[in-house]
Amino acid sequence: MASRSRFPWHILVFILPGFIIYTLFSAWPLLDTMFLSLFKQASSGERVFSGLANYQELLSDPHLSEGFWNALWNNFKFFLVHVLVQNPIGLLLAALLSLKGLHGAKTYRTLIFIPTLLSVVVIGFTWQLILSPLWGITPNFLKSIGLGTWFQPWLGQEHTALLTLALISVWQFVGVPMMLIYASLIAIPDELIDAARVDGASAMRIFWQIKLPLIVPTLGLVTILTFIGNFNAFDLIYAVKGVLAGPNFSTDILGSYFYRTFFGAQSSLGSPTMGATVATVMFLIILMGVMIYFYVVQRRIHRYQL
Amino acid sequence: MILAKAKQPFNVIAVHIVLLTYTFIALFPVFIILVNAFKSRKAIFNSPLALPNADTFSTIGFEKVLSKADFLLLFGNSLLVTVVSLFFIILFGAMLAWALSEYKFTGRTLLGLFMAIGIMIPIRLGTVSILEIVVALNLVNTRTALILVYIAQGLPMAIFILNEYMSQIPKELKEAARCDDVSEYQIFFSIILPLARPAIATVAVFSMIPIWNDLWFPLILAPGESTRTVTLGIQQFIGQFVTDWNAVLASLTLAVIPILLLYVFFSKQLIRGLTAGAVK
Amino acid sequence: MASLSLRKINKRFGKVHVLHDLDLEIQDGEFVVFVGPSGCGKSTLLRLIAGLETISDGEMRIGDHIVNDLSPRERGIAMVFQSYALYPHMSVYKNMAFGLKIDGQNKQQIDQKIRDVASKLQLDSLLDRKPGQLSGGQRQRVAIGRAIVRDPKVFLFDEPLSNLDAALRLKMRIEIARLQKVLNTTTIYVTHDQVEAMTLADKIVVMNGGHIEQVGAPMELYNAPQNKFVAGFIGSPAMNFLVAGVSTDNNTNVITLANGQTLPTQQHLKHGTQLTLGIRPEHLSLYGAETDLAIEGQIESVERMGDITYIYFSMPGHDLITMAQQGDHQLPIGQIIRAYAKPEKIHLFDESGKAIKLS
Ligand SMILES: Nc1ncnc2c1ncn2[C@@H]1O[C@H](COP(=O)(O)OP(=O)(O)O)[C@@H](O)[C@H]1O
Ligand SMILES: [Mg+2]
């Protein structure tokens, strides 16, 4: 028998296919994008190194920066609505669903999760129709409960469009925090809850003083996942409002701003290098969020062995 | 004899009211779309909340939509892209996860960290370069381009979940096999993969939904007539029909129904997959 | 402090009938142990008493009050769980204070009580620690402390020692026995371990398949088991059972063993009745008198512990017979052995498993 090769070929075989695809279509493009943000594209198509000029332009050039700061600010509002509305509703639903001995919990859970499964595009159009003054479902509903005068074309007004879109997104994705929190709630041992009941604690007190402190790590995780999701959101804005994120850019967030910078819209031409610059800034923002999560939140939060 | 009533430490009725209310909020919009898709234009506006009846029933919307667009093609594209991506995410993901959890080699930790970046950083941010690569490889407007990108997108989470699971597989199983001189490939394909089935189900669930529903990459990499996915198709389609309510509602319904049907059959597995991490 | 009384208690989980018509009286200050095989309904009964599960049928009183519809707190019970169930995010002190705070006691009162109990259980130095920083034995003591500090009418324990190693289990067993004597609080203790039952209980309740098989003092159960189940469950190693029948010899009934040996009996047993004869391993001896019951078999295995020797021998038609002999005995495997038992140490059971008085 020939001497066996010592080199562990099998390890290479296991690693390479996934590694190559991941590197080529995810890791390298990310790096390359950052690299590209340091260049300017001449009209001839040639790229010349320009250092941080793109960033300077993005942050201070009146033409570009106004849009950028607007999108960034809108994105923060978008995120804030999720944190303040989506996560508490998710928590409430999960807390109720995880009550022991509740009949129909599985059915509720299954039904409430449905919107999360549908594509953002479908959800966007659906709400557009429902909120449409033309169709009248919402105005009629409000009229029927005596709030007819409250109706406004929320998606069409500058001061309400972003909030409305954020709430639509909340409505769609509430299933995610609900499931994650639910899973961590039912992982709390029954005996612990029994012990609290024997101690005389009411369901409310058990929730606030026993369950909630034990699922804080999950709340942290849900928040960072929401952050990442919100800071590269695009589909909903594009489906409902198109590339221009109207009215008057009031629903523009970083995702849609990135798309416009890259591909151009209406009169303005797109620029790959400027697009790469926006993407890199988004990358840095998300990275910052992730770092804050790992170094501040994760470290302070104690994970209790259950 | 006393018949004790079931006594819960919480107010059952209040809990049900809250949950029912929210379930209603979650389902009402979907319900409205489905119901009105089967009504005549007049009925859609006159009584949007009513179920279709003999007078109002109409499939005019579907007729229009199906005559103008090849929905079968759209579904075929989405299905192909999703299934093939999923297959390779699971296969390559499991292979990588296995290598990372089983073998000691230089750079293992580094490789693990490298793959983990993709969990936190969305692949979309590399779109500018991805498009350039796809152009260079001559893959613009192909489903292959989408599949490659989705594999890259899905791998990190898949590796994370599978690695966690595989490191819990008892040593004895593999060692017994090694004593029998079974090759490393056989160990992986005939012992480890079947054992990892629950984790694979979780991975499938986590990867499938974002791929099927994605708008971004189809829009940028494969917007052509023949390669469009459902999500993109619907988006462009509805854009053309804005004022034709029958057609819009029918398109939305066509997009929703397959997902709902799938969900009816697989919701149990799906939800088990979603909650698997914590329920161990 | 309180007595406890159960009348025709039933528990069903949906269609599954878990507890059947249980009747039980527990005196004030008594230490009662529920014992039985896994799945027989001990925990369920304890949880019914605690108020953690609802009673499907029947009546339960603590003291003079019917407590069927009262919450655990209103019943004035405290419970120690198998997994200890300490609140992982609270210090030992806060774990103990949690229930007292809910009762609305003031801070000084609470502090006083906790320090008091902590010193009784040597927990003083652990008060600021979280449960995660405690050893198994320490957690166990905290769990007991948390129960004691409530000053309950009834203590409930559900297999509290089953997560500890053997040495610690023995130590905690003695500790629990001592505490109960000092506090003199009515205590119900669930275990599947008959040694714990024998050593701790004033009164043992033997359960099987959702029924109470027998209630009595440990020695009562040992000496006079009312049925074959109790006879086999109490005592270690378990009682040996031999096949026997009734035949007539000179117009008097005699009990006949499979090997043809007969025993006189004064009972009026019908000819041809099938019986089971029970002998505890420690009541079998290598030496005996003419009047003793004698059985023979081939030695299959011998376990020498030094102070005691267990001899296992086979008899056709029976499980291995166990014999326990004081001291060290060196016996060769395969040898035929003869074992004797005094007639008064023999238990008899009828076909349904009910005990028959031999005398
Ligand atoms: N919540 C429940 N739902 C259905 N069956 C149960 C439930 N709790 C216990 N049981 C059943 O009741 C029987 C008794 O259980 P348990 O009281 O825990 O037994 P033990 O503590 O004696 O081991 C078992 O057969 C068990 O499966
Ligand atoms: Mg039990």
Side-chain angles (χ1 to χ4, degrees), chain A residues 100, chain C residues 13-14 16 18-19 36-45 53 158-159 190:
Chain A
K100 262 200 91 189
Chain C
F13 290 109
V16 191
V18 176
L19 297 176
S38 196
C40 70
K42 308 176 297 283
S43 295
T44 306
L45 179 54
E53 302 278 1
D158 192 355
E159 313 223 3
V190 163

Side-chain angles (χ1 to χ4, degrees), chain B residues 37-158:
Chain B
F38 295 92
K39 296 202 289 211
S40 66
R41 186 181 162 86
K42 226 177 103 195
I44 293 175
F45 281 93
N46 289 346
S47 50
L49 299 183
L51 290 170
N53 57 32
D55 283 342
T56 59
F57 182 81
S58 158
T59 53
I60 177 88
F62 293 97
E63 284 156 30
K64 270 189 211 161
V65 169
L66 292 173
S67 70
K68 287 254 170 78
D70 191 349
F71 257 83
L72 228 48
L73 178 72
L74 296 181
F75 276 118
N77 286 336
S78 277
L79 201 64
L80 181 85
V81 167
T82 308
V83 170
V84 175
S85 306
L86 218 51
F87 175 80
F88 285 109
I89 288 172
I90 288 166
L91 179 67
F92 296 160
M95 283 160 58
L96 259 163
W98 172 243
L100 284 170
S101 69
E102 177 64 10
Y103 305 114
K104 306 249 175 304
F105 54 90
T106 31
R108 180 168 80 147
T109 319
L110 211 62
L111 179 63
L113 281 176
F114 176 65
M115 301 302 302
I117 295 172
I119 297 180
M120 285 299 182
I121 305 299
I123 190 170
R124 276 182 189 187
L125 300 182
T127 304
V128 178
S129 299
I130 291 177
L131 183 59
E132 287 184 0
I133 293 170
V134 167
V135 170
L137 294 174
N138 216 356
L139 290 174
V140 179
N141 266 330
T142 61
R143 287 160 293 202
T144 314
L146 289 180
I147 290 171
L148 287 168
V149 170
Y150 289 142
I151 297 174
Q153 170 184 292
L155 276 175
M157 186 55 109

